[in-house]
Amino acid sequence: MTDAQQVTATLSTKSKMVTLTDSLLDAIPVLAAQKDTILYRAFQLQINDSVPDGENLTFSVTFRDNADSTWISYFTLRLHAPDLRLGSLTVNDVDKGNGNRRLEPGESVKLNLQISNAGSASSDTIIIWPSMPDSM
């Protein structure tokens, strides 16, 4: 077995869910034959804010040495994200309405929302924009 000399590595993916911010690893002087080497912080990437929970991303790493030999390895990473769902919605019109829990003309109400997270990651900040169709 021969050691690989001056090895470069390039990370790539076809996924639109990730942006590779540093996908090239400069030359590794020697990769010893039949040995493991750990390359800390080898690549950097940015995951899209709207990835679906549980999405699997496939990556390839292309290695090339100074003898122009090439090796390609593949790996998959599972993404974890919140998956927020609206449960019940209730109308509270006790303070500035007639207390019948109905949204009626002239009332100021508070909307109580039940939100659950069915995803595998937490959500630190939730912002809700109430809207109504133009036809209403």
Side-chain angles (χ1 to χ4, degrees):
M1 295 280 159
T2 304
D3 294 347
Q5 307 284 324
Q6 299 300 314
V7 177
T8 60
T10 305
L11 178 69
S12 61
T13 183
K14 292 180 181 179
S15 174
K16 303 292 185 203
M17 296 289 159
V18 62
T19 301
L20 302 174
T21 56
D22 185 2
S23 62
L24 180 63
L25 182 61
D26 292 330
I28 305 159
V30 176
L31 286 177
Q34 300 295 310
K35 300 275 185 177
D36 290 336
T37 300
I38 297 174
L39 304 171
Y40 295 99
R41 298 183 178 138
F43 304 109
Q44 293 182 20
L45 48 101
Q46 176 69 41
I47 305 298
N48 186 308
D49 285 339
S50 60
V51 298
D53 187 46
E55 179 84 7
N56 287 320
L57 297 184
T58 301
F59 295 88
S60 66
V61 181
T62 303
F63 299 93
R64 182 169 284 122
D65 69 4
N66 65 345
D68 214 23
S69 296
T70 302
W71 306 267
I72 300 175
S73 294
Y74 299 91
F75 65 94
T76 301
L77 293 177
R78 175 165 279 198
L79 300 180
H80 299 276
D83 183 5
L84 303 180
R85 299 179 185 191
L86 179 62
S88 64
L89 178 136
T90 57
V91 174
N92 180 343
D93 65 342
V94 173
D95 292 339
K96 296 188 179 181
N98 59 10
N100 66 356
R101 301 202 183 280
R102 293 183 186 169
L103 184 57
E104 298 169 324
E107 290 185 329
S108 293
V109 302
K110 295 178 182 174
L111 298 177
N112 301 320
L113 304 174
Q114 177 189 17
I115 300 172
S116 63
N117 181 358
S120 63
S122 65
S123 180
D124 296 330
T125 303
I126 299 172
I127 300 172
I128 298 172
W129 289 279
S131 63
M132 295 182 71
D134 290 337
S135 62
M136 296 198 85

